[in-house]
Amino acid sequence: MQELRLKIGKMSCVNCSNAVEKIARKIQGVQNASVSYVNSSGVFLVDDLSLKGELEKKIKALGYEILQDNENIAEFKQKELLKLRYNLILSIIISAVAMALMSFAHNSSLLQLILGCVGVFYCGRDFYLRAFAGLLHKSLDMNTLVSLGSFCAIFYSFLAFFGVFEGHLYFAEASMIISFVLLGKFLEEGAKFKAKSYENSLLSLDIKMSRVKDESGEFKELPSSFVKAGDIVLVRDGESLSVDGVVVEGRAEVDLSFLNGEFVPVIRQKDDEMEAGAVIISGMLVIKATKNAMDSKLEVIKDMIFKASNAKMPIARLVDKISAYFVGGILLFALGVFVFWVLNQGLNSAFLHASAVLLISCPCALGLATPIALVLAISNATKHFVLIKNPASLELLRRGDFFIFDKTGTLSNEDLTVFSHNLKESDFELLCELEALNSHPIARALSAKKAMNSALEGELESIAARGLCFKSKEGVYLAGNEALLRENDIVVSKEHKDFIFKNSEQAPVVVYFAKDKECLGVVCLANELRKEAKKLVDFLHSRGKKTVILSGDNEKSVSLVAKALNIAEFKANLSPQDKLNLLKEYQKKGVCVFVGDGINDAAALSLANVSFAMNAGSTLAKGAGDFVLMKDDLNAISYAFKLSQKSFAIIKQNLLWAFFYNLCCIPVAAGLPSLLASWDAFTSLLSSLVGTQSASAWALALSNFVLTPHLAALAMCFSSIAVVLNSLRLRRKL
């Protein structure tokens, strides 16, 4: 069994992804298929990769396109959005002119015909092409209803134009149907295109080139994808490693936050293992690759993200089934209505009733119910510094059972801060001035306390993985870790050790400061909790939500944060795979919301039902998250939660209205009023309620009432306007 991945363009709705899955599973040798409409991608389990050609051929036959890469998808979607906007504007102009001619120019039948045909068959051509391709492969979707409804109106109008029927011309209404459906699609596609703006930035994480040792013993640049197991790779200051391996030479400080979330760099030297994605802060390493670059842990994390983003939630599968039954049910019902009225009143009446059913059930209100609300919710969220990348997650957020947090960079600030020190004030100021000359992450915590003093005179030396040495007339100063002092035979007094022990739980990072072989004192550094973290956790607890911490940090550090925030459940020392496995266990118990910031969180962010990424976090994390907090303010999560509740309430109202509208109007379009008027039991009941004379008048009015395609189209417009007006309430601040 092998895995085949394809990028698929021109999918316009969830029914499109269903159609691709259905046709793929029919191919012999394809064991399973999972297609994501949102991500424009599909994963196929095949017996042999040679099936790729046949699979692509079948997908193209459905009217979709096979794309080559993420950049191609972005360009393709942008072109499609521009094309959709052009069709929408042209369709609105045509509909408006045709409606004006119908209302005020009674001798404009030919012009109405031309405009109607352009509006339906040109502006709405994609609906027809996709509906036709779907019918060829026995797949029904919303395109089928839109196409049949508008075509019936056009076809009936042609017959009336040439005198076959004596009735109204519906060229304008047919064009208007296309306009409303295009409006819904444009709003939806525009929201999704904006939501996926971070997706392409994932490519910037790729390590394009690596220095690989050739046969002559020289290091030459080679595309990172071609680094193989056994190759010798050189990595210098500021560079990232492209492959997993073992250090064979050198010593350096390395940032492994992508893997474990820890903010403090670690020392790597000979015989230590290294992972792809590690960043060299200072020093140089020569590494022997133990895997191919494409099999590295970083690539595995990306692979987990891809698979997680293609997994379907139960609610998506439920919507798929309802959509399929709705379209098929309406088509069968319209056919039944046509046959019934042919037998009772002839072809003209049958055509009017069947066309009215198709038109009034066109999914304009249903189609606008969700996207218009989402667009307004996205606008509202953006104003409050929350970027919604995946609009569907807004509905799920309110249902979150578990709110799971990473620690460093999420609940606590990523940057270190001075927690306490036992230095004299003059010594502390001097230390801060010296650290202001260094770019090390630990140095930044101290340099923030003091601006760089250009008046300092002396020689400064940065010592890799140790600290710094400053030589001046006053003496030789050392600032760094315990190893630096030990190498220079400087003894740390019991007083300093007791001070370190006292603060070790809350401030585990220590900087020693010494002068001329004497330790002057120490500075204890810590990660402070974000000011708004407690408020957010209290808010979630007040809503009955459970909070959990899953972190790669040490257990002591995580337990302190959990205690401070009153979070009962927490796990420490976790790898990305550990987080993913635990998240899957929590998902068995309920809907999970994950909040993180690092590359190590990316897979969990993607797999979670809903995920929030911090804006200061890694590009991969922001690409995987459903929401991005643009100001790194955790209060935005509580705002998003309230927005989710209000958005879903409005979407539910819109859908209930659309359902009520269909429930009431479809029977009327089918001719129920005239049937009731001819039913003796109904007229008898009416007589007992309003009197015989009034009942006769009511019965006559009902028997003459026909919901023509013209009125059906107007009813459809009214339902859409009601949905839009209701959704506009989302523009207000919560």
Side-chain angles (χ1 to χ4, degrees):
M1 193 74 63
Q2 294 176 288
E3 192 178 90
L4 176 64
R5 303 180 184 188
L6 295 175
K7 295 291 185 180
I8 305 167
K10 284 194 173 180
M11 291 193 293
S12 61
C13 66
V14 71
N15 288 310
C16 297
S17 59
N18 294 339
V20 174
E21 287 183 3
K22 184 178 177 181
I23 200 68
R25 292 190 181 112
K26 289 181 179 179
I27 300 174
Q28 188 173 2
V30 178
Q31 301 301 322
N32 202 356
S34 177
V35 179
S36 171
Y37 155 57
V38 174
N39 295 307
S40 299
S41 60
V43 180
F44 306 90
L45 291 179
V46 298
D47 293 336
D48 194 318
L49 291 177
S50 62
L51 290 169
K52 180 180 179 181
E54 184 178 357
L55 190 57
E56 290 181 347
K57 183 179 178 182
K58 292 286 187 181
I59 293 172
K60 289 177 181 178
L62 280 173
Y64 309 119
E65 289 192 10
I66 303 298
L67 307 177
Q68 299 306 313
D69 50 42
N70 282 324
E71 185 178 0
N72 197 335
I73 286 179
E75 292 175 357
F76 178 83
K77 284 186 175 291
Q78 189 169 26
K79 289 177 182 177
E80 286 293 296
L81 193 60
L82 290 173
K83 175 184 170 184
L84 188 57
R85 183 172 67 179
Y86 168 76
N87 284 339
L88 172 61
I89 294 172
L90 181 59
S91 181
I92 290 173
I93 293 172
I94 288 172
S95 300
V97 173
M99 290 293 288
L101 290 173
M102 182 186 71
S103 302
F104 304 108
H106 301 294
N107 297 319
S108 60
S109 300
L110 180 60
L111 190 53
Q112 288 182 50
L113 183 152
I114 295 171
L115 289 172
C117 288
V118 173
V120 172
F121 297 118
Y122 179 74
C123 297
R125 61 192 180 280
D126 285 341
F127 297 120
Y128 283 87
L129 292 172
R130 289 168 187 161
F132 182 71
L135 288 174
L136 289 178
H137 294 87
K138 300 177 183 177
S139 174
L140 301 176
D141 56 21
M142 293 301 181
N143 293 312
T144 311
L145 279 184
V146 173
S147 302
L148 278 177
S150 57
F151 180 76
C152 283
I154 282 283
F155 186 64
Y156 178 87
S157 300
F158 265 111
L159 295 177
F161 180 81
F162 290 107
V164 178
F165 295 143
E166 292 183 4
H168 182 81
L169 299 179
Y170 298 103
F171 294 116
E173 288 86 343
S175 180
M176 186 169 56
I177 293 166
I178 298 298
S179 296
F180 271 98
V181 179
L182 283 173
L183 174 61
K185 291 307 301 176
F186 180 74
L187 292 171
E188 183 180 1
E189 291 299 322
K192 282 189 297 183
F193 183 80
K194 182 180 179 181
K196 301 297 283 183
S197 60
Y198 271 106
E199 194 78 10
N200 298 324
S201 61
L202 296 181
L203 293 175
S204 64
L205 285 173
D206 292 340
I207 303 158
K208 303 296 184 185
M209 304 297 289
S210 297
R211 293 186 185 86
V212 181
K213 197 173 187 178
D214 62 13
E215 295 178 356
S216 65
E218 295 183 2
F219 288 96
K220 293 187 177 180
E221 287 198 343
L222 182 75
S224 296
S225 300
F226 294 98
V227 178
K228 305 294 184 185
D231 284 347
I232 303 298
V233 181
L234 174 67
V235 195
R236 295 174 178 169
D237 286 5
E239 296 179 348
S240 298
L241 182 62
S242 63
V243 67
D244 294 349
V246 176
V247 179
V248 294
E249 184 183 335
R251 179 187 176 92
E253 280 187 295
V254 181
D255 178 7
L256 294 178
S257 60
F258 83 99
L259 188 63
N260 57 21
E262 290 281 4
F263 53 90
V264 180
V266 297
I267 305 299
R268 286 292 182 266
Q269 52 193 354
K270 188 175 181 180
D271 297 329
D272 287 339
E273 293 185 355
M274 292 284 290
E275 289 87 16
V279 180
I280 307 300
I281 294 178
S282 63
M284 181 183 71
L285 294 176
V286 177
I287 294 161
K288 183 177 181 180
T290 54
K291 299 178 182 177
N292 295 344
M294 297 308 292
D295 297 326
S296 68
K297 186 169 286 189
L298 180 61
E299 292 300 323
V300 169
I301 291 174
K302 291 182 181 180
D303 180 67
M304 288 190 289
I305 293 169
F306 186 92
K307 288 180 179 177
S309 64
N310 277 274
K312 286 194 174 182
M313 295 177 292
I315 191 171
R317 291 193 290 269
L318 178 62
V319 170
D320 294 350
K321 291 179 181 178
I322 291 174
S323 298
Y325 284 124
F326 176 77
V327 176
I330 290 297
L331 292 177
L332 289 174
F333 184 71
L335 179 62
V337 168
F338 183 83
V339 172
F340 176 84
W341 288 109
V342 163
L343 297 175
N344 283 271
Q345 291 188 9
L347 190 61
N348 185 75
S349 180
F351 220 104
L352 284 174
H353 285 298
S355 298
V357 167
L358 288 171
L359 285 169
I360 212 162
S361 61
C362 275
C364 289
L366 284 170
L368 284 171
T370 299
I372 190 67
L374 284 176
V375 168
L376 291 167
I378 289 170
S379 175
N380 187 323
T382 303
K383 290 176 183 177
H384 294 87
F385 308 102
V386 181
L387 176 63
I388 302 176
K389 290 181 61 259
N390 179 12
S393 63
L394 192 64
E395 186 272 327
L396 274 175
L397 178 58
R398 67 181 183 88
R399 292 170 47 201
D401 299 301
F402 297 93
F403 280 73
I404 302 171
F405 298 89
D406 174 47
K407 185 185 80 68
T408 304
T410 303
L411 292 174
S412 62
N413 292 310
E414 185 173 3
D415 293 333
L416 289 162
T417 56
V418 175
F419 181 78
S420 184
H421 70 84
N422 63 355
L423 289 164
K424 293 179 181 178
E425 194 60 33
S426 58
D427 290 336
F428 181 68
E429 288 185 5
L430 176 59
L431 173 62
C432 293
E433 289 175 356
L434 294 175
E435 294 290 4
L437 302 171
N438 198 350
S439 61
H440 194 282
I442 292 176
R444 287 199 298 269
L446 290 163
S447 61
K449 296 289 183 179
K450 187 79 175 179
M452 186 174 69
N453 187 352
S454 58
L456 281 175
E457 294 183 1
E459 181 183 341
L460 181 71
E461 178 188 359
S462 181
I463 305 171
R466 294 291 189 272
L468 57 84
C469 175
F470 180 70
K471 297 178 182 179
S472 68
K473 294 178 181 179
E474 286 74 21
V476 178
Y477 293 89
L478 295 174
N481 56 24
E482 189 176 5
L484 178 64
L485 269 63
R486 197 163 49 242
E487 288 174 0
N488 288 273
D489 300 321
I490 299 175
V491 178
V492 180
S493 69
K494 184 178 182 301
E495 178 188 353
H496 295 327
K497 288 181 179 179
D498 290 342
F499 181 81
I500 293 169
F501 180 77
K502 177 184 175 182
N503 295 286
S504 61
E505 284 195 355
Q506 293 174 292
V509 181
V510 178
V511 176
Y512 296 85
F513 192 42
K515 176 185 178 182
D516 297 333
K517 301 293 183 176
E518 178 190 355
C519 181
L520 301 175
V522 293
V523 179
C524 296
L525 304 174
N527 270 124
E528 290 185 352
L529 281 175
R530 292 186 184 275
K531 295 178 182 179
E532 67 277 11
K534 187 68 166 65
K535 184 177 179 181
L536 170 63
V537 172
D538 290 344
F539 170 84
L540 295 173
H541 288 170
S542 70
R543 298 301 194 277
K545 307 300 180 181
K546 295 180 181 178
T547 53
V548 182
I549 298 176
L550 300 182
S551 176
D553 289 5
N554 64 78
E555 188 163 357
K556 183 182 287 187
S557 177
V558 177
S559 64
L560 283 170
V561 171
K563 183 178 179 180
L565 296 177
N566 195 27
I567 295 177
E569 293 185 52
F570 65 88
K571 298 286 184 183
N573 299 312
L574 300 177
S575 69
Q577 187 62 54
D578 292 333
K579 287 187 180 183
L580 206 60
N581 293 337
L582 285 168
L583 179 58
K584 289 177 181 177
E585 292 300 315
Y586 280 110
Q587 283 184 317
K588 293 177 182 177
K589 304 174 187 177
V591 176
C592 292
V593 180
F594 189 88
V595 187
D597 70 310
I599 297 179
N600 60 307
D601 300 321
L605 285 164
S606 187
L607 180 65
N609 303 100
V610 181
S611 54
F612 286 84
M614 310 299 286
N615 190 50
S618 73
T619 307
L620 191 58
K622 289 188 286 188
D626 297 315
F627 297 80
V628 176
L629 304 183
M630 293 186 286
K631 283 184 67 175
D632 286 336
D633 183 352
L634 293 177
N635 286 325
I637 296 177
S638 56
Y639 188 89
F641 181 84
K642 290 184 284 187
L643 184 63
S644 171
Q645 290 181 312
K646 184 171 182 179
S647 299
F648 180 73
I650 287 178
I651 289 171
K652 186 166 66 173
Q653 291 163 10
N654 289 347
L655 290 172
L656 284 172
W657 161 249
F659 175 77
F660 176 77
Y661 153 80
N662 278 293
L663 185 66
C664 295
C665 293
I666 289 175
V668 174
L672 182 62
S674 57
L675 287 177
L676 288 174
S678 62
W679 187 28
D680 292 338
F682 175 78
T683 53
S684 299
L685 177 63
L686 199 60
S687 297
S688 64
L689 293 174
V690 299
T692 304
Q693 187 173 356
S694 296
S696 298
W698 274 95
L700 180 62
L702 288 172
S703 63
N704 291 328
F705 178 77
V706 177
L707 187 59
T708 63
H710 181 203
L711 294 175
L714 290 175
M716 182 196 66
C717 295
F718 171 73
S719 69
S720 300
I721 291 170
V723 164
V724 172
L725 291 176
N726 187 47
S727 299
L728 286 173
R729 294 192 294 128
L730 279 169
R731 296 175 64 182
R732 297 181 226 158
K733 183 179 179 180
L734 303 182

